[in-house]
Amino acid sequence: MALRRIAGASTSSSFFKSFTTVLPQAAEPAPASPSYLAHHLLDEFSRPRASRDGERLRRLAAHLTAPAVESVIARLPSWRHALDFFRWADEQPGFRHSCYSFNAMASLLRRRQPAHLDRLAADALAAGCPMTPGALGFLLRCLGDAGLPDTAARVFDSARARLSCTPNSYTFNCLLDALAKAGRADDAEARLQEMLVKCGDGSVDKYTLTSLLQCYSNAGRPDDANDVFQRMSQHGWVDEHVLTMLAVAFSKWGKVDGAVELVGRMEVLGMRPSEKTLSVLVHGFAKQRRIDKAIEMFDKMATYGYVADLPMYGVLIEGLCRQKKIGKAVKIFEVMKSSEVVPDVRLLKNMIEAFIHEGDFAIVGPFINENAGKLKPSDVTALYNVVLQGLVNHGQVEVAYQLLTSRVRGVQGISDGLTVGAHVFDTMQDVKPNSDSFNIVVCGLCKVKKLDDALALVKDMVGFGSKGKLLMFNDLIYELCNADRLDEGYKLFNQMKDLGVIPTEFTYNSLFYGICRRKDPNGASDLLREMCTNGHRPWIKNCTEMVQQLCFSGRITEALGFLEEMLKMGFLPDIVTYSAAMNGLCKTGEVDNALGLFRDISAKSYLPDVVAHNILINGFRLSGKLNEAQEIMEEMLEKGLFPSVVTYNLMIDVWCKSGNIEKAVDCLNKMVDEEKSPTVVTYTSLIDGLCGAGRPDEAIVLWHKMSDKSCAPNKIAYTAFVNGLCKCGRVETALTYYEEMMTKGFVLDTFSCLYFINALISNGNTTKGCELLKEVLQRDMTQGDDLKMVGLINKAVEVLSKDGRTSPEISILVEKGLISRAQTMGIFDLENA
């Protein structure tokens, strides 16, 4: 439409006029004739700048005209030549570009040169070039095609003052078209209102609404687009272009079914859906993984005689492979080949991956042989790597290993029994492996812990002239360090650097982990210095592991020295690492040193967290320094830290052990108020404390409260409760809970059971006591040399042997040698002690 209006805007010259002229040989044309100028200017500006005739150009410039310039621009071989000529002409004295020469240049820049077109529009405004509405509209459309809606709006708004052009409905439509291409819906709506004011309601025509429909489609506003479509339908303005535009938009919005309905409507109206429309629908359905519908659209394309391209075949085949419809994928693939569409390496890789995923290795070799003939060697290697990766993923690492080594070492064939590899061995004989090939197999060997094979393959790789990949070195170094083969890990580390593979933070930390496992603070410090030099940081979990291991081994001084060394190198251990050191000190009984470290890091502006405080509280608790534990708790509260469930559990135990039961009970209540759910540890500590304080009734109430809160008691809870009730003289009650404990599969440890037996006997229940004693004696007495346990056994035997109800049972135990064995476990020593 725009082209027709521009063509009719002037009778003297036309942008689309052909200037092809064959100069007669008999006579020289007049110098000022357009054909003479165009011919000679075209001759000069088709040459490189250095070879142009300056004197000739000066003569031609004196006769320069706008029609001649327009003709030359249209006929030069490229936009660069045209722009060079356009700017030369602009510099000539007495010459001024017309709207047609500006538009001729804009037509060449509209597709791929937005920056130059933006400058051209600015030049047109600066020059004040008069334009007709048709010429202005064409320039606006060019700006829209170049994605310059703001420039189009600026030119439109300046047209009256700078271009001597009063916009009409046509120029408004061209501006709307520019805004529509950019999806600037709000701006388009504003301009439409402006158009109605200046040009009247009758100015809105089919082209106006078409632009608005495109705008809403590009802006992703389906409801507004549908409103415009309904309005166009009412006026009978819906044509093939409109339906195609809307169908494509529906597909982009994911409403592919709606797009199909529009295509059906086109067909009912006798319109032919375009190739682009059907192609978009195929891709849309494929994106939604509705491959059956995509194939329907594909078949429809065939009925219209449209030829599918490689991307379309690709999405169909990949979609079918994804749905494991390999048979259908193969059929489409054969149709593609019969249409002389050559598969690329990406599609072939997808097909091979699908075969392998289904475990159909037998077809892989013939498939590659049939389709890889036109591929580059590097692409064939890529297919080979897909096979290797598939074998590794299927757990056939040994097959992948032998396939690769057969190419590297020149081995003919693979081991008997590996039938999977036999299917593809012949195919791979002429393939040259690359770094990816070695990377795949080495990583696979690492996963199955075949580290010696992996190391051998790395050696082969270097001899083969490949340097490998970072991932394979990282995996192998990590696995070597994890297997305590640190020296080999270091050797490989140096080798990768020699090959030009730069170690990463992961590489260094894998070695660091291996050093930490060996509890080697000096080696760790040396590696940390290298890491610091290369800008890498140690992983805190490794630092924490080193500190913990040193502390647990009693090497406290080395652990603290390691932390100091980290500080000197600029690595700041976090509170987790320091907490590990404090925990190690506490577990080795050096709780005062742990407190010193705690004070030291606090002075260095670290903020010890709840965990660090818990470690100290637990350390003081275990060492019997209960007052110090309470002081750490109070200090934590003063700092504004909120106690955790662990904190409360520790403090309940501390208060119970110190005899401050009321504080322990208050602590439990506070936990509930703070919505911190008490655990079985919480209840067990407090129940044990209540029993120890001679308050068994409250302990029983708390026990049932624990069960009501869905907090199931464990073996430790039952043991503490049974022992506690016995201490309070509530032996029969203890027996009830003991039997409940047994029904739940929990068994008292030997010492607790012997204590319970003596409590039963002392309470007059010798029968039950004897029964339990027999069970204990029939167990494997792994702690038979414990004098306390021996004493408890002897005490029970002495009473039971004097009781007429149980003495026969004791005699049987003697006959079986159970009691005599027990009596030999230190009795003589006890009597002489």
Side-chain angles (χ1 to χ4, degrees), residues 386-690:
V386 172
V387 176
L388 292 177
Q389 188 67 65
L391 290 167
V392 169
N393 293 344
H394 265 256
Q396 301 285 343
V397 180
E398 181 62 26
V399 179
Y401 174 62
Q402 292 202 26
L403 279 175
L404 181 55
T405 53
S406 70
R407 299 304 313 122
V408 177
R409 301 173 186 170
V411 179
Q412 295 299 316
I414 61 175
S415 300
D416 294 337
L418 299 180
T419 55
V420 172
H423 295 306
V424 292
F425 177 78
D426 292 338
T427 305
M428 302 305 178
Q429 288 193 38
D430 297 326
V431 176
K432 183 179 180 181
N434 59 13
S435 292
D436 289 323
S437 312
F438 291 100
N439 182 72
I440 291 165
V441 179
V442 169
C443 291
L445 291 168
C446 288
K447 287 181 181 179
V448 296
K449 313 302 180 188
K450 291 190 174 184
L451 305 185
D452 291 328
D453 286 344
L455 287 170
L457 190 55
V458 171
K459 183 178 179 180
D460 290 339
M461 177 194 76
V462 175
F464 196 70
S466 180
K467 74 174 188 177
K469 293 277 188 174
L470 174 64
L471 178 61
M472 55 172 275
F473 285 108
N474 279 349
D475 277 8
L476 187 48
I477 289 172
Y478 174 79
E479 292 297 341
L480 288 169
C481 293
N482 199 39
D484 200 22
R485 297 170 65 173
L486 180 61
D487 295 338
E488 292 170 282
Y490 257 113
K491 182 178 179 181
L492 188 62
F493 173 74
N494 292 324
Q495 186 178 27
M496 71 181 286
K497 290 194 291 185
D498 292 340
L499 291 169
V501 181
I502 300 174
T504 63
E505 191 167 289
F506 182 91
T507 322
Y508 279 103
N509 274 288
S510 295
L511 291 172
F512 190 47
Y513 168 69
I515 294 173
C516 292
R517 286 192 60 178
R518 290 193 175 183
K519 307 171 191 174
D520 179 8
N522 294 328
S525 297
D526 291 340
L527 185 61
L528 284 176
R529 291 188 189 94
E530 185 175 343
M531 291 178 70
C532 183
T533 301
N534 289 282
H536 300 306
R537 300 191 63 81
W539 293 341
I540 293 301
K541 67 176 183 178
N542 290 336
C543 301
T544 303
E545 177 71 14
M546 171 69 88
V547 170
Q548 283 180 331
Q549 291 300 324
L550 290 173
C551 289
F552 291 161
S553 302
R555 298 161 64 181
I556 308 299
T557 303
E558 291 179 82
L560 298 178
F562 174 70
L563 290 175
E564 287 298 322
E565 192 68 24
M566 286 186 66
L567 286 170
K568 289 179 183 178
M569 286 185 279
F571 296 124
L572 300 178
D574 67 1
I575 192 61
V576 176
T577 309
Y578 279 115
S579 295
M582 288 190 292
N583 191 43
L585 289 166
C586 289
K587 289 192 174 182
T588 55
E590 299 192 39
V591 66
D592 291 328
N593 286 333
L595 179 61
L597 180 59
F598 180 85
R599 299 298 182 207
D600 184 47
I601 62 175
S602 298
K604 291 179 180 177
S605 300
Y606 281 91
L607 297 175
D609 56 9
V610 172
V611 174
H613 286 82
N614 287 346
I615 289 170
L616 279 180
I617 292 171
N618 190 45
F620 284 124
R621 179 183 72 89
L622 294 174
S623 62
K625 297 182 178 182
L626 305 182
N627 291 332
E628 287 85 344
Q630 293 186 50
E631 288 173 4
I632 295 297
M633 171 69 172
E634 292 168 1
E635 182 179 325
M636 182 175 71
L637 294 174
E638 289 174 1
K639 292 176 181 176
L641 296 174
F642 295 98
S644 66
V645 171
V646 174
T647 314
Y648 283 121
N649 288 347
L650 292 171
M651 290 310 302
I652 286 173
D653 191 61
V654 167
W655 283 317
C656 287
K657 282 182 169 60
S658 62
N660 201 337
I661 300 299
E662 297 307 324
K663 274 196 171 183
V665 173
D666 289 342
C667 189
L668 175 63
N669 294 331
K670 190 173 183 181
M671 287 182 72
V672 175
D673 292 341
E674 293 179 2
E675 297 184 350
K676 290 183 171 66
S677 300
T679 65
V680 67
V681 176
T682 317
Y683 287 111
T684 301
S685 297
L686 190 50
I687 288 168
D688 188 54
L690 288 168

Side-chain angles (χ1 to χ4, degrees), residues 86-108:
F86 182 88
R87 289 173 178 169
W88 172 85
D90 192 50
E91 295 170 355
Q92 303 312 306
F95 177 77
R96 187 180 184 188
H97 281 296
S98 71
C99 62
Y100 302 109
S101 58
F102 268 109
N103 279 346
M105 194 67 243
S107 180
L108 297 178

Side-chain angles (χ1 to χ4, degrees), residues 252-330:
K252 289 181 179 178
W253 298 331
K255 299 181 178 182
V256 191
D257 291 321
V260 172
E261 291 180 14
L262 288 172
V263 170
R265 182 171 177 178
M266 291 175 68
E267 291 176 322
V268 169
L269 295 174
M271 300 176 184
R272 178 186 177 94
S274 69
E275 183 176 353
K276 177 183 177 182
T277 304
L278 295 176
S279 176
V280 167
L281 290 179
V282 170
H283 286 274
F285 279 123
K287 187 176 181 180
Q288 292 184 351
R289 301 195 174 187
R290 298 168 65 184
I291 300 301
D292 291 341
K293 296 295 292 183
I295 291 175
E296 284 184 22
M297 293 299 104
F298 173 78
D299 292 338
K300 188 182 288 290
M301 286 186 67
T303 62
Y304 283 109
Y306 298 137
V307 178
D309 56 9
L310 179 60
M312 181 173 295
Y313 281 112
V315 297
L316 292 175
I317 292 171
E318 289 170 24
L320 289 167
C321 289
R322 194 182 300 116
Q323 294 180 359
K324 301 182 180 179
K325 297 179 179 179
I326 309 302
K328 287 187 177 181
V330 171

Side-chain angles (χ1 to χ4, degrees), residues 125-280:
L125 292 176
C129 176
M131 287 198 175
T132 65
L136 175 60
F138 184 82
L139 179 58
L140 295 177
R141 287 188 182 275
C142 289
L143 292 168
D145 290 340
L148 297 170
D150 292 325
T151 304
R154 186 168 63 253
V155 170
F156 180 88
D157 291 335
S158 303
R160 186 186 298 273
R162 307 290 294 277
L163 304 178
S164 305
C165 178
T166 301
N168 59 15
S169 61
Y170 171 73
T171 49
F172 267 107
N173 281 341
C174 293
L175 177 60
L176 289 174
D177 181 69
L179 295 172
K181 287 181 171 64
R184 301 278 282 272
D186 293 339
D187 291 341
E189 289 173 348
R191 293 295 183 173
L192 180 61
Q193 294 301 316
E194 183 181 343
M195 177 180 177
L196 291 172
V197 170
K198 293 184 177 180
C199 302
D201 293 345
S203 61
V204 176
D205 58 12
K206 171 182 177 179
Y207 303 102
T208 310
L209 295 184
T210 300
S211 295
L212 197 58
L213 178 64
Q214 183 181 15
C215 191
Y216 288 137
S217 298
N218 291 340
R221 291 167 58 171
D223 293 337
D224 292 326
N226 186 60
D227 290 342
V228 174
F229 178 74
Q230 296 302 326
R231 184 174 174 184
M232 295 182 75
S233 298
Q234 293 171 3
H235 288 85
W237 292 342
V238 174
D239 57 14
E240 181 177 333
H241 174 66
V242 170
L243 288 170
T244 298
M245 181 196 308
L246 200 55
V248 171
F250 268 97
S251 183
K252 289 181 179 178
W253 298 331
K255 299 181 178 182
V256 191
D257 291 321
V260 172
E261 291 180 14
L262 288 172
V263 170
R265 182 171 177 178
M266 291 175 68
E267 291 176 322
V268 169
L269 295 174
M271 300 176 184
R272 178 186 177 94
S274 69
E275 183 176 353
K276 177 183 177 182
T277 304
L278 295 176
S279 176
V280 167

Side-chain angles (χ1 to χ4, degrees), residues 741-760:
M741 172 184 182
M742 297 295 288
T743 61
K744 293 188 177 181
F746 299 127
V747 179
L748 283 175
D749 63 87
T750 302
F751 185 84
S752 298
C753 193
L754 289 171
Y755 178 82
F756 181 46
I757 289 168
N758 279 279
L760 288 168

